[in-house]
Amino acid sequence: MNQSIIKTIAFDADDTLWINETFFRDAEDQFCALLEDYLPYEECHKRLFEMEMRNLPLYGYGIKPFGLSLIEASIEITDGEVSIEIIQELIAMAKAMLDAPVQLMEGIEGVLDTLSQKYRLVVATKGDLLDQERKLEKSGLAKYFHHIEVMSDKQPKNYMKLVNHLDIAPESFFMVGNSLKSDILPVLEIGGNAIHIPFHTTWVHEQIDYEVVHDNFQAFEKVDDILNVL
Amino acid sequence: MNQSIIKTIAFDADDTLWINETFFRDAEDQFCALLEDYLPYEECHKRLFEMEMRNLPLYGYGIKPFGLSLIEASIEITDGEVSIEIIQELIAMAKAMLDAPVQLMEGIEGVLDTLSQKYRLVVATKGDLLDQERKLEKSGLAKYFHHIEVMSDKQPKNYMKLVNHLDIAPESFFMVGNSLKSDILPVLEIGGNAIHIPFHTTWVHEQIDYEVVHDNFQAFEKVDDILNVL
C-alpha cells in the first residue's frame, strides 16, 4: 500500500472498536426463550430477522429500531397473545443494551495510539448518533479520533459524501472494519482503500458469500497486523 | 448585524424548515384518546411527558424514542391492563410519523434560495440521522445546503464541536431556529449569533420563561424577515 497518499483512516465502530454483535445475539436468544411456548428457537430467529428487515428502511440501524421490532415481532409471532409482562421485558432488554458497558476489541487501543500519531483518524459508523457518541465516550478511545461520522447507511453514496466532507480524494481514504458488505465493498467501489478485520459473529444482514479480491484491499486476522502495512 | 463576518448560517430543521411539533401533539392526543378509559386527558399528557423525560437521557430525541415511550407509558398508565391492540396502534402511529409527508414552513424556500447565493448554509438539527436525512430529501430543500449536521443534543459543547467542525470562529456562525432553549441560548453562550423565528407550538421541554436580550440576538415573526438583516 502506498502510505504517502493516506490522509484519513476511518474505523468502523461496532465489532471493530468494541464488541456489539454479541449483545444483539444474546438479546435474540432471550427473545426466543421468552416465546418458546409459541415457536421453536430456529423459526423464532427467522421471524425476528424478517421483522427487522421489513422495518429497516423505515427505522434504520441501532438498538431502538431493534427494540421496536422485538415488540412488534412478539405480537406477530404470538398472534396477539403475548403478555404485557413479556413486552415489558423486551423494553427492559433494549434499555439494558443502550446502557451496557463498552468492551474494547483486543489490541485496538495500541493500534489507535500508534496510528493517531501518523494519520487523521475518524470513526465511521452507521446506527444511532447518541448511542455511538455515548459508546465512544465510555470507551476512552475518543482522544484518538478527530471526530465521529455517523452515517445513516454505508452505501457507496454515503462514503462519497463522507470523503467529500473530509475534503480528500477517495484514494487518500482508508477504511478499517469487520463487515465486508458495509465497510469494504462500498469503499472499494468509490476508489478508496479497505482493510478487513473479521469478528467472530456477523449479522446475517451483513454477510456476503464470495471472496473479495482487489488491489486496494487487504484482510488480517487481528487488528495489530495492520501496523505492518500502515 | 455585521454581515461581513458571517461564514455559515445554520438552520434548525424541525419547525424551522418544516412542520414537526404538530405531528407529536396529534400523536399525543391520539394516545390519550386510546387511554381515555384509564386517565383524563390532562393527566395522561402529563404522565406521557414524564415518561419521555425519564427516557430522554437513554433514548435521545426523535420518533423512535417517542414510540418506545408511548408503549411503556401505556403499560404504566393502565397498570399493565393495556390491550395488545392498543400497543399495535402505538407502533402504527410511530411508523406513520416516520413516513409522514414533509410540510415546508411558509416562505422558507425563497429565503434559502436567496441566502444560499451569499452564504454557506447547513442544517443543524438534533434527533435521528436517518429520519432527518429522509425529511431533507423529501423536502426538496437539500440543494440549498452544504450538508446536514445531526447533533445528539444542542448544548453549548455540541455547538462548539459544530463550529470547530465547520472550521470557523463562533462569531462567524449564525443560527436560525424556533427554540430559544436549543437554537438560541447555547449559540449566544459560545459567542455565536442567533435569530429566533417562533413556531406556534413549542414542546414543554423546549420552553423557557424569560425574555432573551443580547447584542447577537434578533427575533422575527416570519422567516422572510431575516432577509432584511442577512
Side-chain angles (χ1 to χ4, degrees):
Chain A
M1 304 211 178
N2 182 351
Q3 293 167 26
S4 63
I5 60 158
I6 306 173
K7 297 261 200 269
T8 299
I9 305 175
F11 281 80
D12 169 54
D14 292 335
D15 301 319
T16 299
L17 299 180
W18 46 67
I19 292 170
N20 175 64
E21 203 47 40
T22 319
F23 291 110
F24 280 89
R25 286 300 86 77
D26 289 349
E28 287 169 19
D29 288 347
Q30 277 183 64
F31 174 81
C32 292
L34 286 169
L35 299 182
E36 64 180 352
D37 291 347
Y38 297 92
L39 215 57
Y41 182 89
E42 285 289 324
E43 181 66 14
C44 170
H45 269 261
K46 196 169 150 276
R47 292 281 292 277
L48 174 57
F49 180 69
E50 283 166 7
M51 178 64 73
E52 286 185 83
M53 287 306 101
R54 219 182 303 158
N55 287 334
L56 186 60
L58 201 56
Y59 287 168
Y61 297 95
I63 295 171
K64 286 170 276 182
F66 181 66
L68 285 165
S69 287
L70 285 178
I71 296 168
E72 193 177 357
S74 77
I75 296 173
E76 200 188 76
I77 286 171
T78 64
D79 264 328
E81 298 284 305
V82 63
S83 69
I84 293 298
E85 288 71 29
I86 286 182
I87 290 179
Q88 281 178 303
E89 283 202 55
L90 300 178
I91 295 172
M93 271 164 57
K95 287 188 174 185
M97 287 173 78
L98 286 168
D99 209 25
V102 171
Q103 295 175 35
L104 294 189
M105 299 295 283
E106 210 188 313
I108 188 71
E109 183 147 20
V111 170
L112 296 175
D113 191 19
T114 304
L115 293 179
S116 65
Q117 290 162 38
K118 294 164 69 183
Y119 306 104
R120 175 173 65 165
L121 306 185
V122 302
V123 181
T125 173
K126 68 186 174 193
D128 183 78
L129 179 63
L130 177 68
D131 194 32
Q132 296 292 9
E133 276 187 354
R134 179 164 34 211
K135 284 193 274 187
L136 186 59
E137 200 62 47
K138 278 191 197 170
S139 73
L141 300 178
K143 59 177 178 278
Y144 300 114
F145 293 101
H146 186 267
H147 66 277
I148 179 169
E149 294 272 357
V150 180
M151 306 154 82
S152 56
D153 203 353
K154 284 183 162 177
Q155 301 291 325
K157 67 170 183 204
N158 307 92
Y159 279 105
M160 250 345 273
K161 219 194 264 181
L162 168 58
V163 162
N164 288 336
H165 193 190
L166 293 168
D167 232 351
I168 56 175
E171 54 268 32
S172 300
F173 179 73
F174 232 96
M175 181 74 198
V176 179
N178 71 296
S179 167
L180 289 169
K181 185 175 166 192
S182 292
D183 303 319
I184 310 301
L185 295 179
V187 173
L188 296 175
E189 191 171 324
I190 67 159
N193 310 273
I195 286 180
H196 184 228
I197 316 283
F199 184 61
H200 55 72
T201 309
T202 305
W203 189 23
V204 182
H205 177 62
E206 297 288 343
Q207 289 169 7
I208 59 168
D209 56 0
Y210 54 90
E211 214 181 321
V212 177
V213 182
H214 194 289
D215 282 350
N216 294 351
F217 172 71
Q218 282 186 271
F220 295 110
E221 278 301 299
K222 301 192 322 306
V223 74
D224 316 63
D225 297 335
I226 69 177
L227 294 181
N228 298 327
V229 294
L230 285 176
Chain B
M1 304 210 179
N2 182 351
Q3 294 168 26
S4 63
I5 61 158
I6 306 172
K7 297 261 200 271
T8 299
I9 305 175
F11 282 80
D12 169 54
D14 292 335
D15 301 320
T16 299
L17 300 180
W18 47 68
I19 291 169
N20 175 64
E21 204 47 38
T22 318
F23 292 110
F24 280 89
R25 285 301 86 75
D26 290 349
E28 287 169 21
D29 288 347
Q30 276 183 64
F31 174 81
C32 292
L34 287 169
L35 299 181
E36 64 180 354
D37 291 347
Y38 296 92
L39 216 57
Y41 181 88
E42 286 289 323
E43 181 65 16
C44 171
H45 269 261
K46 197 168 150 277
R47 293 281 292 277
L48 174 58
F49 180 68
E50 283 166 8
M51 178 63 73
E52 287 184 83
M53 288 305 101
R54 221 182 302 156
N55 287 334
L56 186 59
L58 200 56
Y59 287 167
Y61 297 94
I63 295 170
K64 285 168 277 181
F66 181 67
L68 285 165
S69 287
L70 286 178
I71 295 168
E72 192 176 357
S74 77
I75 296 172
E76 199 187 78
I77 286 171
T78 63
D79 263 329
E81 298 284 305
V82 63
S83 68
I84 292 299
E85 288 71 29
I86 286 182
I87 290 180
Q88 281 178 304
E89 283 201 56
L90 300 178
I91 294 172
M93 271 164 56
K95 287 188 174 183
M97 288 174 77
L98 286 168
D99 208 27
V102 171
Q103 295 175 35
L104 293 189
M105 299 296 283
E106 209 187 312
I108 189 70
E109 183 147 20
V111 170
L112 295 175
D113 191 19
T114 304
L115 293 179
S116 65
Q117 291 162 37
K118 295 164 70 183
Y119 307 104
R120 174 172 67 165
L121 307 185
V122 302
V123 181
T125 174
K126 69 186 174 193
D128 183 78
L129 179 63
L130 177 67
D131 195 31
Q132 296 293 9
E133 277 187 355
R134 178 163 36 210
K135 284 193 275 189
L136 186 59
E137 199 63 46
K138 278 190 197 171
S139 72
L141 300 178
K143 59 178 178 277
Y144 301 115
F145 292 101
H146 186 267
H147 67 278
I148 180 168
E149 294 272 357
V150 181
M151 307 153 82
S152 57
D153 203 354
K154 283 183 162 176
Q155 301 291 324
K157 66 170 182 207
N158 306 94
Y159 280 105
M160 251 344 275
K161 220 193 263 179
L162 168 59
V163 162
N164 288 335
H165 192 191
L166 293 168
D167 232 351
I168 57 175
E171 54 268 31
S172 300
F173 179 73
F174 232 96
M175 181 76 199
V176 180
N178 72 298
S179 167
L180 289 168
K181 186 175 165 192
S182 292
D183 303 320
I184 309 302
L185 296 179
V187 173
L188 296 175
E189 192 172 323
I190 67 158
N193 309 273
I195 287 181
H196 185 228
I197 316 283
F199 185 61
H200 55 73
T201 308
T202 306
W203 188 23
V204 183
H205 177 63
E206 296 288 343
Q207 288 168 10
I208 60 168
D209 57 359
Y210 55 91
E211 215 180 320
V212 178
V213 181
H214 194 289
D215 282 350
N216 294 351
F217 172 71
Q218 282 186 272
F220 295 109
E221 279 300 300
K222 300 193 318 309
V223 73
D224 317 62
D225 298 335
I226 69 178
L227 294 180
N228 298 327
V229 294
L230 284 177

PDB file of all heavy atoms in Angstrom, chain B residues 140-154:
ATOM      1  N   GLY B 140     -37.158  18.580  -0.643  1.00  0.00           N
ATOM      2  CA  GLY B 140     -36.675  19.278  -1.831  1.00  0.00           C
ATOM      3  C   GLY B 140     -35.743  20.437  -1.498  1.00  0.00           C
ATOM      4  O   GLY B 140     -35.326  21.190  -2.370  1.00  0.00           O
ATOM      5  N   LEU B 141     -35.383  20.582  -0.221  1.00  0.00           N
ATOM      6  CA  LEU B 141     -34.538  21.715   0.191  1.00  0.00           C
ATOM      7  C   LEU B 141     -33.044  21.366   0.207  1.00  0.00           C
ATOM      8  O   LEU B 141     -32.196  22.245   0.425  1.00  0.00           O
ATOM      9  CB  LEU B 141     -34.938  22.198   1.596  1.00  0.00           C
ATOM     10  CG  LEU B 141     -36.382  22.692   1.791  1.00  0.00           C
ATOM     11  CD1 LEU B 141     -36.609  23.085   3.248  1.00  0.00           C
ATOM     12  CD2 LEU B 141     -36.672  23.883   0.872  1.00  0.00           C
ATOM     13  N   ALA B 142     -32.726  20.085  -0.012  1.00  0.00           N
ATOM     14  CA  ALA B 142     -31.334  19.636   0.146  1.00  0.00           C
ATOM     15  C   ALA B 142     -30.369  20.467  -0.700  1.00  0.00           C
ATOM     16  O   ALA B 142     -29.240  20.729  -0.295  1.00  0.00           O
ATOM     17  CB  ALA B 142     -31.211  18.153  -0.207  1.00  0.00           C
ATOM     18  N   LYS B 143     -30.812  20.905  -1.881  1.00  0.00           N
ATOM     19  CA  LYS B 143     -29.908  21.605  -2.802  1.00  0.00           C
ATOM     20  C   LYS B 143     -29.401  22.943  -2.260  1.00  0.00           C
ATOM     21  O   LYS B 143     -28.405  23.457  -2.728  1.00  0.00           O
ATOM     22  CB  LYS B 143     -30.590  21.826  -4.155  1.00  0.00           C
ATOM     23  CG  LYS B 143     -31.884  22.641  -4.093  1.00  0.00           C
ATOM     24  CD  LYS B 143     -32.442  22.843  -5.516  1.00  0.00           C
ATOM     25  CE  LYS B 143     -33.751  23.597  -5.542  1.00  0.00           C
ATOM     26  NZ  LYS B 143     -34.920  22.751  -5.301  1.00  0.00           N
ATOM     27  N   TYR B 144     -30.084  23.488  -1.284  1.00  0.00           N
ATOM     28  CA  TYR B 144     -29.648  24.773  -0.726  1.00  0.00           C
ATOM     29  C   TYR B 144     -28.569  24.622   0.350  1.00  0.00           C
ATOM     30  O   TYR B 144     -27.969  25.611   0.761  1.00  0.00           O
ATOM     31  CB  TYR B 144     -30.838  25.536  -0.125  1.00  0.00           C
ATOM     32  CG  TYR B 144     -31.918  25.809  -1.146  1.00  0.00           C
ATOM     33  CD1 TYR B 144     -33.173  25.233  -1.027  1.00  0.00           C
ATOM     34  CD2 TYR B 144     -31.664  26.638  -2.242  1.00  0.00           C
ATOM     35  CE1 TYR B 144     -34.157  25.471  -1.976  1.00  0.00           C
ATOM     36  CE2 TYR B 144     -32.636  26.874  -3.192  1.00  0.00           C
ATOM     37  CZ  TYR B 144     -33.886  26.288  -3.047  1.00  0.00           C
ATOM     38  OH  TYR B 144     -34.847  26.519  -3.985  1.00  0.00           O
ATOM     39  N   PHE B 145     -28.368  23.395   0.820  1.00  0.00           N
ATOM     40  CA  PHE B 145     -27.482  23.206   1.963  1.00  0.00           C
ATOM     41  C   PHE B 145     -26.183  22.521   1.583  1.00  0.00           C
ATOM     42  O   PHE B 145     -26.165  21.588   0.769  1.00  0.00           O
ATOM     43  CB  PHE B 145     -28.194  22.371   3.039  1.00  0.00           C
ATOM     44  CG  PHE B 145     -29.339  23.100   3.664  1.00  0.00           C
ATOM     45  CD1 PHE B 145     -30.643  22.830   3.278  1.00  0.00           C
ATOM     46  CD2 PHE B 145     -29.109  24.091   4.607  1.00  0.00           C
ATOM     47  CE1 PHE B 145     -31.706  23.522   3.845  1.00  0.00           C
ATOM     48  CE2 PHE B 145     -30.162  24.794   5.174  1.00  0.00           C
ATOM     49  CZ  PHE B 145     -31.466  24.505   4.785  1.00  0.00           C
ATOM     50  N   HIS B 146     -25.105  22.969   2.215  1.00  0.00           N
ATOM     51  CA  HIS B 146     -23.806  22.343   2.047  1.00  0.00           C
ATOM     52  C   HIS B 146     -23.833  20.928   2.621  1.00  0.00           C
ATOM     53  O   HIS B 146     -23.374  19.979   2.009  1.00  0.00           O
ATOM     54  CB  HIS B 146     -22.732  23.196   2.735  1.00  0.00           C
ATOM     55  CG  HIS B 146     -21.340  22.726   2.494  1.00  0.00           C
ATOM     56  ND1 HIS B 146     -20.699  21.858   3.353  1.00  0.00           N
ATOM     57  CD2 HIS B 146     -20.472  22.974   1.476  1.00  0.00           C
ATOM     58  CE1 HIS B 146     -19.490  21.617   2.881  1.00  0.00           C
ATOM     59  NE2 HIS B 146     -19.332  22.280   1.744  1.00  0.00           N
ATOM     60  N   HIS B 147     -24.363  20.776   3.793  1.00  0.00           N
ATOM     61  CA  HIS B 147     -24.565  19.448   4.371  1.00  0.00           C
ATOM     62  C   HIS B 147     -25.474  19.538   5.589  1.00  0.00           C
ATOM     63  O   HIS B 147     -25.878  20.626   5.995  1.00  0.00           O
ATOM     64  CB  HIS B 147     -23.239  18.755   4.717  1.00  0.00           C
ATOM     65  CG  HIS B 147     -22.481  19.424   5.823  1.00  0.00           C
ATOM     66  ND1 HIS B 147     -21.676  20.517   5.622  1.00  0.00           N
ATOM     67  CD2 HIS B 147     -22.421  19.161   7.156  1.00  0.00           C
ATOM     68  CE1 HIS B 147     -21.134  20.888   6.769  1.00  0.00           C
ATOM     69  NE2 HIS B 147     -21.574  20.090   7.721  1.00  0.00           N
ATOM     70  N   ILE B 148     -25.772  18.388   6.156  1.00  0.00           N
ATOM     71  CA  ILE B 148     -26.624  18.323   7.349  1.00  0.00           C
ATOM     72  C   ILE B 148     -25.777  17.884   8.540  1.00  0.00           C
ATOM     73  O   ILE B 148     -24.961  16.977   8.427  1.00  0.00           O
ATOM     74  CB  ILE B 148     -27.830  17.375   7.114  1.00  0.00           C
ATOM     75  CG1 ILE B 148     -28.738  17.292   8.347  1.00  0.00           C
ATOM     76  CG2 ILE B 148     -27.394  15.982   6.686  1.00  0.00           C
ATOM     77  CD1 ILE B 148     -30.079  16.598   8.075  1.00  0.00           C
ATOM     78  N   GLU B 149     -25.932  18.584   9.650  1.00  0.00           N
ATOM     79  CA  GLU B 149     -25.227  18.237  10.884  1.00  0.00           C
ATOM     80  C   GLU B 149     -26.276  17.761  11.876  1.00  0.00           C
ATOM     81  O   GLU B 149     -27.117  18.555  12.318  1.00  0.00           O
ATOM     82  CB  GLU B 149     -24.541  19.470  11.487  1.00  0.00           C
ATOM     83  CG  GLU B 149     -23.419  20.038  10.663  1.00  0.00           C
ATOM     84  CD  GLU B 149     -22.071  19.401  10.976  1.00  0.00           C
ATOM     85  OE1 GLU B 149     -22.001  18.551  11.890  1.00  0.00           O
ATOM     86  OE2 GLU B 149     -21.093  19.769  10.308  1.00  0.00           O
ATOM     87  N   VAL B 150     -26.247  16.484  12.197  1.00  0.00           N
ATOM     88  CA  VAL B 150     -27.174  15.993  13.203  1.00  0.00           C
ATOM     89  C   VAL B 150     -26.435  15.894  14.525  1.00  0.00           C
ATOM     90  O   VAL B 150     -25.392  15.250  14.623  1.00  0.00           O
ATOM     91  CB  VAL B 150     -27.797  14.642  12.809  1.00  0.00           C
ATOM     92  CG1 VAL B 150     -28.768  14.168  13.876  1.00  0.00           C
ATOM     93  CG2 VAL B 150     -28.531  14.778  11.481  1.00  0.00           C
ATOM     94  N   MET B 151     -26.941  16.607  15.520  1.00  0.00           N
ATOM     95  CA  MET B 151     -26.287  16.679  16.828  1.00  0.00           C
ATOM     96  C   MET B 151     -27.078  15.814  17.811  1.00  0.00           C
ATOM     97  O   MET B 151     -28.307  15.763  17.738  1.00  0.00           O
ATOM     98  CB  MET B 151     -26.286  18.132  17.308  1.00  0.00           C
ATOM     99  CG  MET B 151     -25.687  19.092  16.274  1.00  0.00           C
ATOM    100  SD  MET B 151     -26.329  20.786  16.417  1.00  0.00           S
ATOM    101  CE  MET B 151     -25.286  21.425  17.750  1.00  0.00           C
ATOM    102  N   SER B 152     -26.391  15.131  18.703  1.00  0.00           N
ATOM    103  CA  SER B 152     -27.106  14.304  19.679  1.00  0.00           C
ATOM    104  C   SER B 152     -27.849  15.187  20.672  1.00  0.00           C
ATOM    105  O   SER B 152     -28.860  14.799  21.237  1.00  0.00           O
ATOM    106  CB  SER B 152     -26.150  13.361  20.399  1.00  0.00           C
ATOM    107  OG  SER B 152     -25.122  14.093  21.016  1.00  0.00           O
ATOM    108  N   ASP B 153     -27.346  16.393  20.892  1.00  0.00           N
ATOM    109  CA  ASP B 153     -28.039  17.358  21.738  1.00  0.00           C
ATOM    110  C   ASP B 153     -27.608  18.751  21.304  1.00  0.00           C
ATOM    111  O   ASP B 153     -26.675  18.891  20.523  1.00  0.00           O
ATOM    112  CB  ASP B 153     -27.710  17.116  23.224  1.00  0.00           C
ATOM    113  CG  ASP B 153     -28.786  17.681  24.137  1.00  0.00           C
ATOM    114  OD1 ASP B 153     -29.725  18.346  23.647  1.00  0.00           O
ATOM    115  OD2 ASP B 153     -28.695  17.466  25.356  1.00  0.00           O
ATOM    116  N   LYS B 154     -28.316  19.768  21.780  1.00  0.00           N
ATOM    117  CA  LYS B 154     -27.955  21.140  21.407  1.00  0.00           C
ATOM    118  C   LYS B 154     -27.496  21.929  22.621  1.00  0.00           C
ATOM    119  O   LYS B 154     -28.015  22.982  22.942  1.00  0.00           O
ATOM    120  CB  LYS B 154     -29.134  21.817  20.687  1.00  0.00           C
ATOM    121  CG  LYS B 154     -29.287  21.344  19.225  1.00  0.00           C
ATOM    122  CD  LYS B 154     -30.398  22.072  18.492  1.00  0.00           C
ATOM    123  CE  LYS B 154     -30.264  21.937  16.982  1.00  0.00           C
ATOM    124  NZ  LYS B 154     -31.402  22.566  16.262  1.00  0.00           N
TER     125      LYS B 154
END
